[in-house]
Amino acid sequence: MASKGIAWRMKKRVSQVKTDYAYHHTSHVAKQQMERKSSSKSVSQVQAQATEAMAEPAYTIPVFRQRTPEETEEYQRVSTNVGKGLAVIQEELHRMRMATKAQVESLEIEREVQLRMTKRSDLLDDIARMPDFMVALRPHTVWEKTPVKLFCTVQGNPRPIVKWYKGGMPIDPPSTPGKYKIENKYGVHSLIISRCMVSDTAEYSAVATNPHGTATSKATVTVKRPSGAGEYCHLGLVPHLTDIHPSKLEVSFLDRFPVSFGVEGSSVSLVCTMVVVPDLPNLPPHAQWYRDDKLLKPGKLVEMAVGGSAASLTLPHLAKDDEGLYTVRIFTKDGTTEHSAYLFVSDAPPSAAGAPGAPMSVKAYDINSDYVLVAWKPPNTVNEAPIAGYFVDRCEAGSDTWVQCNDAPVKVCKYPVHGLSVGRSYHFRVRAVNSAGISRPSRKSDKVTAIDAAENERLQVIKIEGKYDIVIKDDDLEGVPSAPGQVVATRNTKTSVFVQWEAPKHLKHLMGYYIDGRVVGSKDWFACNHKPFKHTRFVVHGLIPGESYVFRVQAVNVFGLSEESQESTPISVEPALATPSSPFGITLLSCDGSSMTLAWKSPKHCGGSKVNAYYISKRDADTLVWNEVNLTGVKERICTVDNLTEGTFYEFRVQAANMAGVGPPSSPSAPMKCVAWTAEVPGPAYDLSFSEVRSHSLVILWKAPVYTGASAVTGYFVDMAKKDSSEFVTLNEEALKHRYLQVSGLEEGQFYVFRVRAVNAKGVGKASQLSEPVCARALPGTKEIVAGVDEETGDIYLSLEACEICETSKFEWSKNYKPIGDCPRLAVTTKGRTSRLIFTNPDKDDLGRYSVVVTDTDGVSSSHTLTEDALNTMLELSHAIRNPIIPLKHGLNYEVLEKGHVRFWAQAVKLSPAVSYRFIVNDKEVTSGEGHKFSHDVATGIVQMTVDQFTRANEGTYTVQIHDGKAKAQSSLVLVGDVFKAALKEAEFQRKEHIRKQGAHFSEYLYFTVTEDCTVLLTCKVANVKKETTLHWYKEDDEIVPETPPNVMSGACALPLPLFSRKDQGVFKAVLGDDRGKDTSTIDISGKVFDDIINAVAKIAGASASDLVLQCTPEGIRLQCYMSYYTEEMKTVWKHKESKIASSEKMRIGGTAEMAWMQICDPSDKEKGHYTMEIFDGVTTHTRTFDLSGQAYTDAYEEYLRLKAAAFAEKNRGRVVGGLPDVVTIMEEKSLSLTCTVWGEPTPEVTWFKNEQEVTCNEHTKVTFDGGKFASLVINKVTPDDSGKYSINVRNKYGGEFVEITVSVYKHGEQIPEPKLGHPKMATATPAATPATTPMPPKSPAPHSKTPTPTPSKPQTPAPSVKSPTPTPKSPTPTPKSPTPPRSVKSPTPPRFMKSPTPPRK
């Protein structure tokens, strides 16, 4: 009753406020009317009065409501505070209603779970059994001031009663309020000890008893006192209330920070704006911030500010440790006011693809001088590889150098760091490792100092009842926890879902839970939280409205993650069902004196269900009683209220209804006078709405005025202004004929308001009510309409995939912003979040602008203009789909196979196993059988026909027709004329090739290769040979017999062509044969083949070419380049200073098999410079260079002059040209004539010697020298004394020559002496008048010309002396010194074996 009374009083005060507003408004209107009365009456004034009456009718204040100015001012102050209080009460009532609904749903879920558990237990056997602990108690080691939970599961029939004991003494929770809590849920018995102290260290036992026996489970609880006292962290969702701050301020929140999302490394600010009474700038309210129930303190990572009617918390560098439930608590006069919202922090991009996220909550425990125990929480892994371990890094305070502490990854979430320096401070961080890489480092820990603590702090020894000791170590921990139980997801809001689950049976030092979700139908899971959450219920935010999700939960402790729980049942993201909020913006559209037409705006929140009715109430402005206008709900947002009294002021309010019920009423409208409208201009347009809101544009739509004035409405003007601005801008210069306008050029993020004015023949009417402010920003994930063609049916459609949708949403399509309705040309289909507008028979009549609006969303809409070009393109594609054609990769083609078979084939892009086809040749279908073979391959899409015997009869047109389902294809090939002749020739060739290969044959015909020494090999490969097979080589039909017979069994044979040159041009042939037949291969080495061989030789020779070498000759200076082989056919170019050199008398170019040379004859300074030799092999130019200048040229030139002088001397020295033998044998009494030709310039001197003694001229011996050319020594009637060694010395100033002749004289009748071993046969001298074999003494001295000339022998070695018929003196005669040097003495002239420009002696 009290609540009803308060509500009634509030309503009364509101009514009084409205009445007071009417009083001041009426006074203002009456004043205006008095001014009008003082002016002259005219038609325009009457029209203006009518228009004013239509807009704002006057209202007279009753006498009992009139107040003095002081009363009015006081009443306004009170009513203002009351209005604010009423709004707060309404908001609080709505919040309480939603909270109560959530509690009711939660209780219903718990009741359902209990009911299912009861049914499950009823199914168990009714066999009596004594108590048995299925899950026994386990020991725990905890820190001081932290809670611990002991739990066990016991079975028995009947159900056992469990009692708890501490050290054998029963535990009585009422005796120590808040210390112990005993629970029994779903068969799990638990004992919770809150805020443990060291004195709580004891042995705890649970005793289960039933009529059949007793069972006991025991466990030890050890409580450690940490070396540093940490802050107490409460486990509840809402922070524990601290002492009320003694404040006199009244504080109420205006804007609260929502659920927020951040990324590691970024920053985020949580801001609450508030109203403070009184607002004292030097005395801001006292605010406290909490994260997960833990009081936050300002620092480098947490920045707090209070002032300027706002409280803010800024996290400048986010880490996953910052994720959690944030609560701001403001201390007020009546206690505290607070607000909470969750902050989600997602992982930053990993350092390597697939690497895990960073660990979190790195803390140091058990701090000592020699080691520190570092512990942390593991990151969540959703789609990444499992974590293999962790690396721990340390850094001295004040330094930025991090040192890795462990060489190998540690498996558990703790690690003792050794090797610290006593007294130094350190920070620690952790990195996770998996198979993909190493994570980013965690946030560094707080600073800790390595100081030795007492021994009992490191290893606490506690006596229990004086019986035994317990030594506490941090290693007394267990493995990962078991998986959580059943996961249940329920509706919360349109972007969030409430998830709750059962705790795991084996907690094992539980740190919290990770919640994962995925879209139904997807395989990828996403993390809902990035920091372990301690409670078994969680609100997942940021979901896509209308999408379906499933969820799973994992428990986590220091050893890692548990197994995943079972997935929840799929749930669609929809807001929890509630009544809609109140409509607003009630406006008057028309009035005829007895009825008024009203319009209003839709509720901002539909309550999770479509608004299906509106209820209107009215009252006289002078009363407080509301009367219902309609008992049946109105579906449209316009209503005409009848049976009104003309001249009376009325107030109206509207309520919206959905399937959850009727929502709260709207605020009462302003008092409206029921007076007939008589203005000639139109009334206001109404129902302004927006569509296609984007960053820089939107579309505004409205409805036509109900009151049209004196004539029909002919157009509209649209005005726009920024929010909170009165400066309106008219957007269109000419009146619009239609009721929509696309507005562009907006500023992104700016709010705008609009109004519309209707126009008729009499003028511009009253402006519409201002639209709601609209922000120029597209909804997240907004997509546009897509035009396309269905691949299956060929239907042309427009499609939109909504970024947001709910259960009550509908897709409303329009053409040119007019509803389509039931149009036979169009059909609408909707599936999930996608809607299609299908054109049943598209043509030019369907061109235009199409738009779609998704109802019950935050404005999801889009439009698309269908143009003629786009429609024609889609019509072509639609025809192709409805009349499908099998796409061909390759049309019908042919291929000649072995044996002369011809294959006709075509290849499709894709074929199914049900494909069928046929071949048609010259308009006659061919069937698969003898002579024709059909086949196809679905994998490659090939269809083929093989013709075995391809003859002249096969000329014609070939066609293949393919059918695959509804699709078909056809391809033809015309094989006539030259194309057919080429195919027939190839078929016959392949047929002959097949026959040829039945015997010994060439598998590869003759081709050439070049070896490293530039030998050209004519090579061929043979096959199907046997021992009897022979291979013969021919050139121009002349057989070539190589030094090494060819070995056909090796499979390859080669004919070498060393020193290849132009002489090797010609046709080479290889003939392979045996008793099975012969095969021939030829190669014509001429033209291009010859050039290719030369290029191949040049390539090897050019690569092997040495650097240019300088060589001097008597003729000039020669540049030489040695290489593996050189021939003049190679493309060799000599250049001097980049100018090509042509062979001439001055510059001679030539070479040998081993080198190429270029000789500069008679060089001069002009020939100085840079010389280059280039060998081109058809692809690459091999270059060698030489710089003939400077000292190099000077030295070469001097050497050339020296050699030239020596050559000149050699050329002009005295010498014996010819005519003298080396050995002469002559018979006694014969005449001996030694004659030779000499030469020299100038004429040489000639001297003869015998046994190194100069021969003088006498009767027996005669010496002559005729004409400076012929020298002779004639001995008449030789005797044995004439035997000996004769010599001639020919010499001039350039030098000379010394030639020796051995003369042997034998007696008549003796045999001609044979030369000794190693000596050549001696020549026999014969007289000129007798035969050489019959030495007859002449009767008279023979003339000189007839003197017998000795015949020289072939060898030019001296012969031994022959025996003389006269006795030889025993004592040797001393040899006089010869004026000429002996043969062994070196002469200043070149020896006989030196190369000379003159021909050598024969």
Side-chain angles (χ1 to χ4, degrees):
M1 294 296 294
S3 61
K4 291 183 179 179
I6 292 174
W8 182 83
R9 287 195 298 272
M10 292 299 178
K11 292 180 180 180
K12 183 175 181 180
R13 290 178 182 177
V14 171
S15 176
Q16 291 174 353
V17 172
K18 297 296 183 180
T19 306
D20 190 64
Y21 159 77
Y23 166 76
H24 288 281
H25 181 71
T26 305
S27 300
H28 175 70
V29 173
K31 183 177 180 181
Q32 290 180 346
Q33 288 179 349
M34 293 295 295
E35 292 175 353
R36 292 191 186 95
K37 288 180 180 180
S38 63
S39 60
S40 59
K41 297 289 184 177
S42 64
V43 178
S44 61
Q45 289 178 339
V46 174
Q47 181 178 348
Q49 289 178 2
T51 304
E52 184 177 356
M54 177 183 66
E56 295 291 343
Y59 174 68
T60 304
I61 304 298
V63 177
F64 72 93
R65 288 188 178 181
Q66 295 181 0
R67 298 183 178 86
T68 63
E70 292 78 9
E71 292 176 343
T72 301
E73 181 179 357
E74 177 64 18
Y75 180 76
Q76 286 180 344
R77 187 185 67 80
V78 174
S79 62
T80 300
N81 292 334
V82 171
K84 292 182 178 180
L86 179 60
V88 172
I89 291 174
Q90 289 179 344
E91 184 177 353
E92 183 66 19
L93 287 174
H94 179 68
R95 188 187 66 79
M96 292 175 61
R97 186 185 299 111
M98 298 300 296
T100 303
K101 182 177 181 301
Q103 292 179 358
V104 170
E105 290 182 350
S106 178
L107 291 174
E108 184 64 26
I109 292 173
E110 292 182 1
R111 191 178 297 109
E112 180 67 21
V113 172
Q114 291 177 357
L115 179 61
R116 293 186 180 182
M117 294 298 294
T118 303
K119 291 182 180 180
R120 179 180 178 185
S121 61
D122 293 339
L123 297 177
L124 298 176
D125 297 334
D126 292 330
I127 301 175
R129 68 177 80 172
M130 66 178 293
D132 182 22
F133 282 91
M134 304 300 295
V135 177
L137 296 177
R138 64 178 180 83
H140 289 265
T141 300
V142 297
W143 297 104
E144 189 180 24
K145 296 184 181 180
T146 58
V148 65
K149 182 176 181 180
L150 303 175
F151 64 91
C152 59
T153 303
V154 63
Q155 288 186 350
N157 194 8
R159 180 172 297 174
I161 298 174
V162 177
K163 293 185 178 181
W164 293 89
Y165 295 84
K166 173 185 177 184
M169 298 298 294
I171 295 176
D172 185 15
S175 63
T176 54
K179 181 66 175 180
Y180 300 101
K181 183 178 181 181
I182 297 176
E183 294 180 348
N184 178 14
K185 290 184 178 181
Y186 317 125
V188 178
H189 299 267
S190 60
L191 170 66
I192 301 174
I193 308 172
S194 61
R195 295 183 62 84
C196 290
M197 297 181 293
V198 176
S199 59
D200 291 323
T201 300
E203 183 184 71
Y204 292 80
S205 59
V207 179
T209 306
N210 71 358
H212 300 286
T214 300
T216 303
S217 177
K218 298 180 180 181
T220 301
V221 174
T222 305
V223 182
K224 286 182 56 177
R225 177 178 291 115
S227 56
E231 286 199 56
Y232 168 63
C233 183
H234 191 69
L235 288 180
L237 268 178
V238 181
H240 180 69
L241 293 178
T242 61
D243 295 336
I244 298 176
H245 190 274
S247 175
K248 299 296 183 180
L249 301 177
E250 293 184 3
V251 183
S252 58
F253 288 124
L254 289 180
D255 295 326
R256 299 170 173 84
F257 57 87
V259 174
S260 303
F261 299 87
V263 180
E264 283 185 295
S266 63
S267 62
V268 69
S269 294
L270 307 179
V271 181
C272 275
T273 59
M274 50 193 174
V275 176
V276 184
V277 180
D279 189 3
L280 303 177
N282 296 329
L283 183 61
H286 179 57
Q288 291 181 344
W289 289 88
Y290 296 83
R291 177 173 62 230
D292 292 337
D293 214 7
K294 181 178 179 181
L295 181 65
L296 299 178
K297 296 182 179 179
K300 292 183 178 180
L301 300 178
V302 179
E303 300 174 359
M304 302 178 186
V306 180
S309 300
S312 64
L313 173 71
T314 302
L315 305 173
H317 190 78
L318 283 177
K320 288 194 291 185
D321 304 73
D322 296 321
E323 181 172 288
L325 182 70
Y326 282 80
T327 302
V328 57
R329 177 176 296 146
I330 306 293
F331 291 87
T332 67
K333 180 178 180 181
D334 299 327
T336 59
T337 181
E338 59 188 31
H339 168 67
S340 300
Y342 207 89
L343 170 63
F344 294 89
V345 181
S346 59
D347 292 325
S351 56
M360 65 200 81
S361 300
V362 179
K363 295 181 180 179
Y365 301 96
D366 207 4
I367 304 167
N368 296 272
S369 61
D370 55 349
Y371 80 94
V372 169
L373 182 65
V374 179
W376 58 90
K377 294 180 181 179
N380 190 14
T381 54
V382 182
N383 299 314
E384 301 87 359
I387 294 176
Y390 303 89
F391 285 116
V392 180
D393 304 331
R394 75 169 185 265
C395 172
E396 286 195 26
S399 171
D400 294 332
T401 304
W402 289 91
V403 179
Q404 185 171 305
C405 302
N406 52 322
D407 296 331
V410 61
K411 301 292 184 182
V412 296
C413 297
K414 62 174 184 175
Y415 181 74
V417 179
H418 295 272
L420 305 179
S421 299
V422 178
R424 294 191 179 181
S425 299
Y426 295 90
H427 296 282
F428 300 93
R429 71 182 188 186
V430 183
R431 294 169 294 151
V433 184
N434 67 2
S435 59
I438 302 177
S439 73
R440 291 168 291 96
S442 66
R443 175 181 285 177
K444 66 180 181 181
S445 68
D446 294 334
K447 181 174 66 176
V448 296
T449 304
I451 300 177
D452 195 9
E455 183 67 21
N456 61 352
E457 290 293 330
R458 291 200 301 119
L459 298 175
Q460 297 186 25
V461 181
I462 302 174
K463 294 183 180 297
I464 298 180
E465 297 181 354
K467 297 180 181 179
Y468 54 89
D469 296 340
I470 297 178
V471 181
I472 303 170
K473 296 182 180 179
D474 282 343
D475 294 334
D476 298 335
L477 299 172
E478 296 140 2
V480 297
S482 58
Q486 183 182 11
V487 181
V488 178
T490 55
R491 292 169 58 173
N492 189 45
T493 68
K494 68 176 183 179
T495 59
S496 64
V497 168
F498 183 73
V499 181
Q500 53 187 350
W501 58 92
E502 295 178 3
K505 295 181 179 179
H506 305 290
L507 297 179
K508 299 183 179 180
H509 301 285
L510 189 71
M511 289 182 175
Y513 301 93
Y514 281 125
I515 302 95
D516 301 330
R518 67 174 175 86
V519 178
V520 174
S522 172
K523 296 181 180 179
D524 296 330
W525 291 88
F526 60 88
C528 301
N529 61 319
H530 299 83
K531 178 182 177 182
F533 188 73
K534 293 184 177 181
H535 307 281
T536 56
R537 54 192 184 277
F538 187 79
V539 178
V540 181
H541 291 273
L543 304 179
I544 301 175
E547 192 66 81
S548 295
Y549 294 85
V550 294
F551 299 91
R552 70 183 184 191
V553 184
Q554 284 181 283
V556 60
N557 66 0
V558 294
F559 282 88
L561 298 172
S562 71
E563 297 291 331
E564 294 92 352
S565 68
Q566 293 185 353
E567 298 178 9
S568 67
T569 55
I571 183 172
S572 178
V573 182
E574 304 287 350
L577 194 61
T579 57
S581 60
S582 59
F584 62 99
I586 302 174
T587 184
L588 179 63
L589 301 181
S590 179
C591 181
D592 60 2
S594 62
S595 64
M596 303 173 74
T597 302
L598 308 174
W600 56 91
K601 297 180 180 179
S602 302
K604 293 184 178 180
H605 305 287
C606 65
S609 175
K610 182 181 180 181
V611 175
N612 52 21
Y614 291 96
Y615 297 93
I616 301 96
S617 301
K618 70 174 182 179
R619 72 177 180 186
D620 191 329
D622 295 335
T623 65
L624 300 176
V625 179
W626 289 95
N627 299 314
E628 294 181 349
V629 173
N630 57 317
L631 297 179
T632 302
V634 177
K635 296 185 179 299
E636 301 295 333
R637 286 180 290 107
I638 185 172
C639 178
T640 300
V641 182
D642 299 319
N643 302 321
L644 301 180
T645 303
E646 187 173 7
T648 303
F649 282 84
Y650 291 95
E651 293 179 350
F652 300 92
R653 69 180 186 184
V654 183
Q655 291 175 277
N658 62 5
M659 62 183 301
V662 180
S666 66
S667 300
S669 67
M672 303 176 183
K673 186 177 182 180
C674 182
V675 59
W677 287 8
T678 58
E680 295 182 349
V681 295
Y686 71 100
D687 198 13
L688 274 65
S689 61
F690 301 98
S691 177
E692 306 159 41
V693 180
R694 302 295 185 263
S695 300
H696 303 285
S697 65
L698 57 80
V699 174
I700 181 173
L701 304 97
W702 60 89
K703 292 183 179 178
V706 175
Y707 180 79
T708 59
S711 60
V713 175
T714 58
Y716 301 90
F717 287 103
V718 180
D719 303 331
M720 178 185 74
K722 292 184 178 179
K723 182 183 178 182
D724 300 329
S725 174
S726 59
E727 297 179 0
F728 281 86
V729 178
T730 302
L731 299 178
N732 53 313
E733 296 180 358
E734 296 182 359
L736 299 171
K737 302 298 182 182
H738 46 72
R739 295 193 302 275
Y740 65 89
L741 175 66
Q742 182 169 2
V743 183
S744 58
L746 304 181
E747 298 178 15
E748 185 175 3
Q750 182 66 51
F751 284 84
Y752 296 89
V753 293
F754 295 84
R755 67 186 184 189
V756 179
R757 294 172 293 148
V759 181
N760 64 5
K762 298 298 181 179
V764 180
K766 179 185 177 183
S768 67
Q769 190 178 30
L770 287 182
S771 69
E772 285 295 301
V774 57
C775 180
R777 181 181 290 113
L779 291 174
T782 296
K783 297 183 179 180
E784 303 296 340
I785 291 177
V786 177
V789 181
D790 192 285
E791 295 182 356
E792 298 294 333
T793 62
D795 292 335
I796 298 175
Y797 65 85
L798 300 178
S799 174
L800 175 68
E801 182 181 357
C803 62
E804 176 185 330
I805 198 171
C806 68
E807 189 175 351
T808 60
S809 296
K810 290 185 178 179
F811 291 84
E812 296 181 350
W813 288 88
S814 303
K815 180 179 180 182
N816 298 327
Y817 296 98
K818 295 180 180 179
I820 291 176
D822 296 331
C823 179
R825 300 178 60 85
L826 302 169
V828 178
T829 61
T830 303
K831 184 177 181 181
R833 307 165 63 86
T834 304
S835 177
R836 278 189 178 185
L837 179 69
I838 301 174
F839 298 89
T840 57
N841 188 20
D843 56 22
K844 293 184 179 180
D845 294 338
D846 293 313
L847 301 179
R849 183 167 185 172
Y850 292 84
S851 60
V852 61
V853 176
V854 184
T855 63
D856 297 332
T857 62
D858 287 340
V860 178
S861 56
S862 182
S863 67
H864 180 83
T865 302
L866 185 62
T867 62
E868 185 174 359
D869 291 341
L871 179 62
N872 292 335
T873 302
M874 290 189 290
L875 284 172
E876 294 177 2
L877 182 57
S878 175
H879 181 270
I881 294 174
R882 291 176 175 175
N883 302 277
I885 297 176
I886 301 175
L888 297 178
K889 282 186 178 180
H890 300 284
L892 189 60
N893 209 331
Y894 77 92
E895 178 186 5
V896 179
L897 307 177
E898 292 183 354
K899 301 182 182 181
H901 298 173
V902 179
R903 168 178 170 257
F904 294 89
W905 62 278
Q907 184 177 15
V909 174
K910 183 179 180 181
L911 291 178
S912 70
V915 65
S916 62
Y917 53 91
R918 63 176 187 161
F919 283 91
I920 301 172
V921 180
N922 295 330
D923 299 330
K924 182 179 180 181
E925 184 176 357
V926 179
T927 58
S928 181
E930 186 176 357
H932 298 83
K933 296 179 182 178
F934 293 179
S935 63
H936 71 279
D937 186 358
V938 175
T940 59
I942 292 178
V943 175
Q944 62 183 10
M945 174 185 69
T946 304
V947 179
D948 293 341
Q949 295 294 329
F950 192 74
T951 63
R952 295 186 180 276
N954 296 109
E955 184 176 8
T957 302
Y958 292 77
T959 303
V960 60
Q961 295 178 348
I962 307 173
H963 294 268
D964 193 357
K966 296 181 180 180
K968 55 186 178 179
Q970 177 174 311
S971 180
S972 298
L973 174 66
V974 178
L975 206 59
V976 297
D978 294 339
V979 178
F980 172 76
K981 291 178 181 179
L984 182 61
K985 182 179 180 181
E986 178 67 16
E988 292 176 349
F989 171 76
Q990 291 295 339
R991 194 177 302 115
K992 292 178 181 178
E993 279 290 288
H994 174 69
I995 297 173
R996 180 181 68 86
K997 292 180 181 179
Q998 301 306 307
H1001 64 276
F1002 291 99
S1003 59
E1004 289 187 21
Y1005 289 110
L1006 281 176
Y1007 61 94
F1008 72 87
T1009 58
V1010 181
T1011 63
E1012 290 298 324
D1013 61 352
C1014 294
T1015 298
V1016 178
L1017 297 179
L1018 299 183
T1019 307
C1020 60
K1021 293 184 179 180
V1022 297
N1024 198 15
V1025 296
K1026 57 184 180 178
K1027 293 182 180 180
E1028 293 77 11
T1029 305
T1030 59
L1031 178 68
H1032 297 277
W1033 296 95
Y1034 297 90
K1035 178 184 179 183
E1036 303 292 351
D1037 296 330
D1038 294 331
E1039 186 173 359
I1040 302 173
V1041 180
E1043 295 180 359
T1044 303
N1047 181 13
V1048 295
M1049 298 304 295
S1050 65
C1053 299
L1055 175 65
L1057 300 178
L1059 302 179
F1060 184 84
S1061 62
R1062 197 172 300 278
K1063 64 181 176 56
D1064 293 308
Q1065 286 184 326
V1067 178
F1068 289 80
K1069 179 170 63 174
V1071 178
L1072 182 70
D1074 54 23
D1075 56 354
R1076 294 171 295 176
K1078 291 184 179 181
D1079 195 10
T1080 303
S1081 175
T1082 60
I1083 181 171
D1084 185 2
I1085 300 180
S1086 62
K1088 185 177 182 304
V1089 176
F1090 179 80
D1091 293 339
D1092 292 342
I1093 297 176
I1094 290 297
N1095 287 336
V1097 172
K1099 181 177 181 181
I1100 298 174
S1104 67
S1106 67
D1107 293 334
L1108 291 180
V1109 179
L1110 180 67
Q1111 178 69 38
C1112 294
T1113 67
E1115 290 80 15
I1117 299 175
R1118 178 179 293 184
L1119 296 178
Q1120 300 175 164
C1121 179
Y1122 294 92
M1123 58 191 73
S1124 57
Y1125 176 66
Y1126 174 77
T1127 179
E1128 62 181 4
E1129 284 81 10
M1130 292 165 51
K1131 299 175 183 177
T1132 306
V1133 176
W1134 290 85
K1135 293 183 179 180
H1136 177 221
K1137 298 179 180 179
E1138 303 303 326
S1139 298
K1140 185 177 179 181
I1141 300 173
S1143 183
S1144 63
E1145 291 296 328
K1146 184 68 175 178
M1147 298 285 192
R1148 296 179 184 175
I1149 297 174
T1152 64
E1154 294 82 12
M1155 70 175 178
W1157 55 261
M1158 187 276 298
Q1159 181 165 293
I1160 307 170
C1161 298
D1162 193 14
S1164 62
D1165 290 345
K1166 292 182 179 180
E1167 282 71 49
K1168 290 183 180 180
H1170 194 78
Y1171 286 85
T1172 304
M1173 185 195 74
E1174 296 178 353
I1175 300 176
F1176 181 64
D1177 62 10
V1179 177
T1180 306
T1181 300
H1182 306 271
T1183 304
R1184 301 294 184 268
T1185 61
F1186 188 87
D1187 187 7
L1188 186 60
S1189 61
Q1191 189 63 36
Y1193 176 81
T1194 302
D1195 295 343
Y1197 189 74
E1198 291 177 356
E1199 179 66 11
Y1200 154 70
L1201 293 178
R1202 187 188 67 81
L1203 293 177
K1204 181 179 181 182
F1208 183 80
E1210 173 67 19
K1211 178 180 180 182
N1212 294 288
R1213 68 177 176 85
R1215 70 187 69 189
V1216 177
V1217 177
L1220 290 178
D1222 290 334
V1223 179
V1224 177
T1225 57
I1226 189 168
M1227 190 171 64
E1228 187 178 27
E1229 297 295 329
K1230 296 291 185 181
S1231 294
L1232 175 62
S1233 176
L1234 298 176
T1235 304
C1236 65
T1237 304
V1238 299
W1239 186 89
E1241 184 65 36
T1243 304
E1245 295 178 356
V1246 178
T1247 306
W1248 290 89
F1249 296 87
K1250 176 186 179 185
N1251 295 329
E1252 300 183 356
Q1253 297 295 325
E1254 185 176 353
V1255 178
T1256 60
C1257 186
N1258 52 36
E1259 293 181 359
H1260 183 65
T1261 303
K1262 186 179 180 180
V1263 176
T1264 60
F1265 183 43
D1266 298 332
K1269 186 175 182 181
F1270 302 102
S1272 299
L1273 173 62
V1274 179
I1275 304 174
N1276 295 320
K1277 297 182 179 180
V1278 297
T1279 64
D1281 293 336
D1282 294 321
S1283 297
K1285 184 181 290 183
Y1286 290 83
S1287 59
I1288 183 174
N1289 186 9
V1290 181
R1291 184 172 298 277
N1292 63 7
K1293 63 178 181 178
Y1294 295 111
E1297 185 176 10
F1298 188 80
V1299 180
E1300 295 180 347
I1301 309 100
T1302 302
V1303 178
S1304 297
V1305 181
Y1306 64 93
K1307 294 181 179 181
H1308 180 73
E1310 293 180 355
Q1311 291 184 354
I1312 299 175
E1314 292 292 335
K1316 291 184 179 180
L1317 184 63
H1319 288 199
K1321 292 184 179 181
M1322 296 176 292
T1324 303
T1326 59
T1330 60
T1333 57
T1334 309
M1336 294 292 292
K1339 295 181 178 179
S1340 61
H1344 175 74
S1345 60
K1346 295 183 180 179
T1347 305
T1349 305
T1351 303
S1353 60
K1354 292 183 180 179
Q1356 296 183 359
T1357 57
S1361 4
V1362 295
K1363 291 183 179 180
S1364 176
T1366 57
T1368 305
K1370 292 183 179 180
S1371 59
T1373 303
T1375 305
K1377 293 184 178 180
S1378 173
T1380 58
R1383 294 189 80 167
S1384 61
V1385 178
K1386 292 185 178 179
S1387 172
T1389 58
R1392 295 183 66 178
F1393 57 83
M1394 283 191 61
K1395 292 184 179 180
S1396 171
T1398 58
R1401 185 180 173 193
K1402 295 183 181 179

